[in-house]
Every structure is written in C-alpha cells, then in structure tokens.
Amino acid sequence: MIRFGLRLSLSGGREAATRLVVIATAVALGVGMLLTTLAGMNAVGTQNQRYAWLNTSVAGASSDASVDPMWWLIREDYYHGQSIGRVEVAALGPHSPVPPGIPQLPGPGEYYVSPALGELLRTTPAAELSDRLPGREIGVIGRSGLPSPESLLVVIGRTPAELEQLGAQQVTEIMTTSPSDCSNGCYVGLNAAAMTLVLSVVAASLLFPVLIFIGTATRLAATRREQRFAAMRLIGATPRQISVISAVEAALAAAAGTAAGFALFFAFRPGLAAIPFTGEPFYAADLSLGVVDVLLVAFGIPAGAVLASWLALRRVQISPLGVSRRVTPRPPRAWRLIPLIAGLAELTYFIGRRPDSTNGQLTAYLSGFVLILIGLLLAGPWLTMVGARVLADRGSRPATLIAGRRLADNPQAGFRSVSGLIVALFVTSVATGAITTFVANHGEPRADSVAATSLSKVFWPQDGPAPAVEQIPAGLSAIPGVRSVTLVHLNPDRDGWHGVITCAELARLAVFGSCPTGAQVAAVPADLIGRRAFGLTGDEYVWDAASAAPTEVDRQPILSVVVDTTSPSAFEQARTMLIDALPLGRFPASVGEWEADSARQLTQFQQLANVVMLASLPIAGCSLAVSVAGGLTDRKRPFGMLRLTGVQLRTLRRVVALETVVPLLVVAAVATGMGFLAAHLFLRAQLGYTLLPPRPSFYLMVAGGLTVSLGIIASTLPQLRRITGPEAARNE
C-alpha cells in the first residue's frame, strides 16, 4: 500500500501535484519558524554566557592559592545614547586572572577595545570620546569576550594605586556563571528565562497560523479525495489501508517541506542574527541547533502532518457511504462567549485590587489573557455566523444572499481558515497597546527635552567627599554649545539624596522649572529633572520650597553639576571633560540615556510583536487562498450549473470573495478590539494608566497585511472561469 500511495501522490495529475506543493510549502514555513525559535533560545543562552565575565566583581574568591589577585572596576559610559562597558584592571602579580578575549591584562596606560568601539574611536573627534581613555590601544577584544558583534567594551590597564583610589575591589577569578544562574546579584546580562518565555509566545503566535495553513492544505480537494477513498472502501479496501495511503501522501509532502524548512533557516540565519531583540544582535553561529532540536523537528513535523491528514479524512474511515450523507452542521451556540467574558471580567476585577506578589500578578493577568484568547477561538464560529446572518438579512443582491446563506450554514468552515489571525492580532494588539502606553508614561524623553539635552555628574556620599568648587572644570562653560553649567548643593533638611538651588538661579536657567510664589530656595533632585522628565516642555514645573536661606545654599557640599547643551557634540565634549576631571563614582549621563535602557527592551518586544503580525497576516491569506481554491474545486459542479442557468461569472466571484472577506474582516476587527481592551484593563489594574492609541504605523501594518491577504485571495478567483465551464456540469 505504501508503493500504491506513492503512485497516487506522484502520478495523480495536476491536482495531486498542487496539493503536494502547497502542503510542502506550509510545512516548510512551519519548520523554518520553529527552527528559528529553537535557535533563538539557544542564542540567548550563548550570548548570556559571554556576559558572565562582566560580573566578575560578584565572583567568590578562588580556591587556587597560586592565583594572584587583581584590582577590578566596571562602570557604564555612554556615547550618543549607546552604552559602553568600561572595565579597569590592575594586576597584583604575574598570575592574575585574565578576562576572555584578550591574551593578557593591559598594563598602565594601555587598553583593549571591542571592534565596534575601535571603529567608533577612529571616526569620532577625540574630544568627544577617545580623550576619556587613558593611554593607547594595544589590541582588540576577541569574540569569546564579546556578547555581541556590536558590543562597545574597553578593558583599561591602571596602576593598583589608581584603582584603589577609584573604589575598585580585589578579585581572584573571572566569573564564568551565566547571569541567569548567578546567585550573587549579577547586574550585567539577560534574564534568559524571561526571553525564552517571550520567544515561546512568539513561536506559538507564528506557528498557530502555520498549523492552520497545514490543516487547510491537507483538506485541499477533500471532497474528491474522500469520494475516491470511499470508492476504494466499497471495493474492499480496509480502513487501515486507506489510512496508510493518506499517511504516505502527507508524509511525502511533510518530508519535502521539512527539508525545505531547514534550507530556509540556514539561508536566512545571517539576517536573523542581525535582529537585536535582546538589545544587541547575535553572531550567526550563536543561532545554533542541538541534536535534540534537529531530531525533534525532523521527525516531529512529518508525524504531525500524518496525524493532521488522518484527522482530516476521519469520516472516510467510519463508513464508505458516510461521505455522501452530508448534513448541515449544528450552528454554534452563544455559550462560546463564556470564556471571553470570563477573561474580561477577571482583568476588570483586578482594577484597584492588584496582587502584591509578582507570582500573584502573573497568575492574575496571564490567566485573564489566556481566557480571552481561548474565548476568541471558541467564539469565532459564532461571530462568523452572526456576521453571515447580518450579511444575508441586509443583502439585496444575489451574490450577497448566496454568500451569507452559505456562511451561516457552515460558519465553522468559514472561520477555520482565518482562525490563525486571532492569535497574531490579539498578541500584537496587547503588546502594542501596553508598550505604547508605558513608553509614553515612563519611557525615553523626547530628543528636544531638557531631560535629553542635559547631563549630570552626581557626587553620592558613598563615593567619597564632594569636590570643591575649584575642582569643577572651568572649561565647561567655554565649550561651544554649552548653554549653562549649574551646581546643585546638598539639601541639609533631607537624607543626603536631594539637593537645593536658589530660585534666582532657577529663574536664570528657565528650562529646569521654577519656584512656588514667595519662595527663595527650591528642593530639587540631583539632576534637576527627576520624574518630571517625560513630557517636559519648559519652566511649567514648580518645585517644592526648601527651608534653607539663600545665603546657606553655597555653604552646603556640592551634590551634582548639571550641564545643559544645545548640540550632541557639546554634550559629549562636556561628558569627556567631567570624566577626566572627576573620575570617581558613576559617569555623567542624562535622564534620557538612563531611561532609554529600559525603553530599548520594550521597543525590541514591540518589534517582535510586529514580526508576529507581518508574518501571520500573509500566512492567513495563504490559508484563505488554499481554502478558496479547494472550495472552488469541490463546488465546480454546482457553480457550473449556476453558470448554465444564466448566473454571471462576476456574481460567482462576488460570492466567493464575500465568503472569505467577511470572516477575515470580522476576525481582524474583533481580535484587535479585544487586544486593545485587554491591554487597557491590564494597564489600569497594574499601573493605573489609561490606554493610549498606538502610532499610525500599527494601523498601516494591519491595513497592509490585510491588503496582502486580500490580494492573495483575489489571485485564486480567475480559475472560476476555467472550472465553471459547461463541461463541469456534465453527469459523471
């Protein structure tokens, strides 16, 4: 029977060949996406492992007595918003540990740089960046020490006395524990578990439409195949033999598709590696596959395709006459809305009742989202039926009436081919709505805001004594593009983390806010920005009054120096001057740069959500196209009879178009609306925010994806003329 099944699959004419190609294409897409997800999870772990050495300051003491200690200090610098990792070391003996990627520790006045930072140093004015690095470059950090090809890292050699003065600590081994497994408070690296969860959601969101595509392709020309298999049953074929024949066809297409999927993955791997969804791109070799991954995909996908084929043809296995006894399926009931309503009710309940623990919040919100998603999938046929009945009741043209009645007669079939859109549009709408609102309320300030154009150097008490006025570089004010240099003094009435400034100085600066009426001194944060950074437009913000007298302000220790600039060049020159003159503690930065770190990860998640939508919409369109083509093949006799009775070809095209467009648009509207509603309820419950409308680019992407899907559907309509000719209506 296997040989007979191969003959039917390979020599069954154009119809069989088309079915094989379509199924193989669907499987290839699924395999490529699954391999990408598995390789992405492996890449996150590999990249995270190369972050490990940057956490050396939390490593325990080495048990090897022959190892000499070394001084170690790591800090974060910035250049035009890009984070630069700056590691400063000093050996205390010939056997001090050496970080990965460099042959030996640099001596005083020497440093190693990553390739990306080396290129940046060569193309940037010295006063803006390279003057911050003492000494000369002696080499490049190798791949083993770089989390990413675009990592900006420098390892600087110092004297032990210099590093001791800068507050470094002694270490005896280089950290090798992945940040995901670090129990000592690692602060550099990725939360690999969270990234794996995100990638799993993305994989499910992408694979679900592909599985629908595979199932739809398996049903291609299902009526003709069922009749053929039923005829075989009538002449004595057993259910087992029929199952073997259908399994051979499915396995053949799945095997070809699996091979093509592996080829697609390796062909697009370099491009996939450049996507910085962890914040930085990968090396192409990081997107690797383990033996288990390869075996799982190579054998699991064909097995799944065989199972799908068996389920699609299960009616033939019941009775050889069962195929001809077709009855209208029972209409879906309104109970399908219960999970959807329950999910919305759960998210609504937690508004004002947010759980205190992280686990409690995850349980509350994720269960609500899952209930809504399941509810959408269950309610889809019912919503399709309602839309079809409205279409039939309101329609006055023959095409509208026929399409509406046919959809209302079997809404499950109409919804099945577009159900993959539910996951894609719901996940994308939730992510887009939540991220857009969060970034607007707590994200990176505008580029023209003073929160982005001013930088501050704060002298925290734990970093040592504050500098005197004479130690503040006098040349700051002389840099072209520097608008103001302001000293903020320690607030004597607070806890050492807040500052004071005279109202006269605030009025002179203008852009940093103002004092309340009658006040002479204002209580301000060290950077003169604080939480008002977002949406800051001028001096509208009014600070609280401080009890200190104006004459007492200059007598207090300096808490910070704040430099406001009018150009990126002036901004970086001021930073370089402050780093060289005041090297203790954290390097100067702007509020915009600090907030950009958290906003950048959210932006990457948004890009992943966009990928889900952009990939799922065309796949759903392909599913619809296959469904339409299969439906046309199965209905060519009744459509041929309608042509003989005088129905025009354009009327039949309208029928087919309406049968596919109505479910597509209903699903898109409901899934997007439910996604935004779920995002709003989550934001209200967790953060107290009100959902803000997404950017126009989101709507353009949805519209563009739907347009592509509709175009794919339209490409199937020309075959109506060929299959509805007079010969299609003949008695067989």
Side-chain angles (χ1 to χ4, degrees):
M1 295 306 295
I2 295 178
R3 187 178 301 173
F4 181 62
L6 287 173
R7 286 185 60 188
L8 286 178
S9 301
L10 299 175
S11 304
R14 181 183 298 176
E15 181 181 290
T18 301
R19 184 166 59 250
L20 282 176
V21 170
V22 171
I23 296 175
T25 301
V27 172
L29 289 173
V31 168
M33 291 178 181
L34 183 57
L35 291 176
T36 299
T37 303
L38 294 174
M41 293 178 183
N42 295 335
V44 169
T46 302
Q47 188 182 74
N48 214 23
Q49 189 66 48
R50 289 199 297 271
Y51 274 113
W53 73 276
L54 296 173
N55 293 298
T56 291
S57 58
V58 301
S62 173
S63 58
D64 188 353
S66 64
V67 175
D68 295 320
M70 70 171 175
W71 288 102
W72 175 279
L73 178 64
I74 180 171
R75 289 179 289 181
E76 184 177 27
D77 194 4
Y78 289 96
Y79 178 77
H80 287 183
Q82 301 178 80
S83 177
I84 301 174
R86 176 165 164 157
V87 180
E88 299 176 70
V89 296
L92 294 177
H95 303 295
S96 294
V98 178
I102 58 176
Q104 60 187 15
L105 290 178
E110 300 175 338
Y111 58 81
Y112 293 93
V113 295
S114 64
L117 181 57
E119 180 64 24
L120 191 61
L121 291 172
R122 287 187 288 272
T123 57
T124 301
E128 295 183 20
L129 183 58
S130 60
D131 285 352
R132 305 175 198 174
L133 305 180
R136 61 186 179 87
E137 178 184 335
I138 61 170
V140 176
I141 302 174
R143 178 181 295 191
S144 60
L146 299 176
S148 163
E150 294 185 6
S151 295
L152 301 178
L153 287 173
V154 58
V155 180
I156 302 172
R158 293 273 200 176
T159 65
E162 288 174 331
L163 284 184
E164 185 176 10
Q165 186 179 6
L166 290 174
Q169 66 184 91
Q170 290 189 22
V171 299
T172 54
E173 70 173 353
I174 300 298
M175 173 72 85
T176 58
T177 304
S178 171
S180 301
D181 304 321
C182 178
S183 59
N184 299 328
C186 290
Y187 55 91
V188 179
L190 306 170
N191 185 340
M195 289 303 305
T196 299
L197 176 61
V198 170
L199 284 174
S200 299
V201 172
V202 171
S205 303
L206 287 172
L207 284 175
F208 190 83
V210 173
L211 292 175
I212 296 296
F213 187 13
I214 294 174
T216 303
T218 304
R219 295 183 182 92
L220 189 62
T223 301
R224 297 277 296 275
R225 295 169 68 207
E226 289 172 353
Q227 290 172 351
R228 179 195 303 163
F229 290 154
M232 292 180 185
R233 289 292 312 280
L234 285 172
I235 62 175
T238 65
R240 180 183 179 86
Q241 291 172 325
I242 296 299
S243 297
V244 170
I245 293 173
S246 63
V248 166
E249 180 185 46
L252 181 63
T258 300
F262 273 92
L264 284 175
F265 167 73
F266 286 108
F268 287 99
R269 185 167 67 163
L272 295 171
I275 300 176
F277 64 84
T278 62
E280 292 188 346
F282 296 113
Y283 289 104
D286 291 348
L287 290 167
S288 60
L289 297 171
V291 176
V292 175
D293 299 330
V294 173
L295 294 177
L296 177 66
V297 175
F299 292 100
I301 294 295
V306 171
L307 178 61
S309 174
W310 179 83
L311 292 174
L313 299 174
R314 63 188 181 275
R315 291 182 298 177
V316 183
Q317 300 174 19
I318 297 173
S319 167
L321 299 177
V323 176
S324 61
R325 300 194 186 107
R326 300 183 182 275
V327 295
T328 300
R330 295 178 58 185
R333 304 296 182 183
W335 65 262
R336 291 171 174 265
L337 296 173
I338 292 176
L340 178 61
I341 296 173
L344 293 173
E346 179 178 354
L347 292 180
T348 303
Y349 171 80
F350 285 105
I351 296 178
R353 302 182 181 89
R354 186 183 69 177
D356 295 329
S357 66
T358 301
N359 289 335
Q361 293 169 11
L362 288 173
T363 301
Y365 302 134
L366 284 179
S367 59
F369 289 140
V370 171
L371 273 175
I372 294 174
L373 185 54
I374 293 174
L376 285 171
L377 293 172
L378 284 176
W382 186 85
L383 294 171
T384 302
M385 180 188 69
V386 171
R389 288 178 177 177
V390 170
L391 183 69
D393 293 341
R394 300 289 178 86
S396 59
R397 295 185 176 183
T400 306
L401 292 172
I402 295 173
R405 293 302 182 189
R406 285 183 55 84
L407 267 181
D409 184 61
N410 191 4
Q412 289 91 342
F415 172 75
R416 187 185 300 122
S417 58
V418 297
S419 55
L421 281 175
I422 286 284
V423 176
L425 286 175
F426 179 76
V427 170
T428 305
S429 300
V430 170
T432 300
I435 292 173
T436 299
T437 303
F438 183 86
V439 170
N441 286 274
H442 191 80
E444 185 177 357
R446 300 188 325 270
D448 59 346
S449 166
V450 68
T453 62
S454 65
L455 76 158
S456 60
K457 168 66 178 176
V458 184
F459 309 103
W460 301 117
Q462 66 268 26
D463 293 332
V469 175
E470 302 81 40
Q471 295 176 269
I472 305 300
L476 284 173
S477 301
I479 296 174
V482 169
R483 184 160 41 196
S484 64
V485 178
T486 307
L487 298 182
V488 178
H489 293 265
L490 193 66
N491 189 336
D493 299 330
R494 301 296 293 271
D495 52 11
W497 298 87
H498 297 81
V500 289
I501 189 172
T502 63
C503 294
E505 180 72 359
L506 271 183
R508 182 185 69 83
L509 297 172
V511 295
F512 288 105
S514 60
C515 288
T517 304
Q520 294 183 305
V521 178
V524 295
D527 54 17
L528 289 177
I529 303 294
R531 300 309 309 160
R532 72 189 185 107
F534 315 105
L536 184 64
T537 57
D539 58 356
E540 300 174 0
Y541 192 87
V542 179
W543 298 108
D544 293 334
S547 60
T551 55
E552 298 177 359
V553 171
D554 290 342
R555 301 174 187 171
Q556 301 301 319
I558 296 175
L559 177 61
S560 65
V561 54
V562 180
V563 182
D564 188 27
T565 64
T566 60
S567 70
S569 176
F571 187 97
E572 296 301 338
Q573 290 182 56
R575 185 179 354 231
T576 299
M577 189 173 292
L578 285 170
I579 290 174
D580 291 342
L582 305 164
L584 281 175
R586 189 171 183 175
F587 289 147
S590 69
V591 173
E593 289 170 328
W594 294 334
E595 295 300 334
D597 289 339
S598 61
R600 189 176 295 114
Q601 191 69 65
L602 290 174
T603 302
Q604 303 305 328
F605 290 158
Q606 179 62 64
Q607 290 180 355
L608 286 177
N610 294 340
V611 168
V612 170
M613 180 172 61
L614 291 175
S616 298
L617 284 173
I619 293 172
C622 292
S623 298
L624 275 173
V626 172
S627 178
V628 171
L632 291 177
T633 302
D634 293 338
R635 289 180 284 164
K636 68 178 184 178
R637 179 176 172 79
F639 274 15
M641 295 294 293
L642 288 173
R643 286 285 306 278
L644 287 177
T645 60
V647 176
Q648 295 182 347
L649 185 60
R650 65 170 179 267
T651 301
L652 295 180
R653 287 176 175 167
R654 288 173 184 167
V655 170
V656 175
L658 287 172
E659 286 183 11
T660 53
V661 170
V662 169
L664 179 67
L665 296 183
V666 168
V667 165
V670 172
T672 304
M674 286 297 103
F676 286 151
L677 179 57
H680 173 72
L681 295 175
F682 163 73
L683 291 167
R684 292 295 301 166
Q686 179 69 9
L687 302 170
Y689 296 158
T690 299
L691 179 71
L692 298 177
R695 296 176 179 176
S697 58
F698 171 80
Y699 302 103
L700 290 176
M701 281 190 294
V702 172
L706 290 175
T707 301
V708 171
S709 300
L710 294 175
I712 294 173
I713 296 168
S715 67
T716 65
L717 296 182
Q719 67 174 309
L720 259 177
R721 180 184 298 275
R722 179 177 56 83
I723 69 172
T724 59
E727 67 279 1
R730 71 180 187 271
N731 291 320
E732 297 179 350

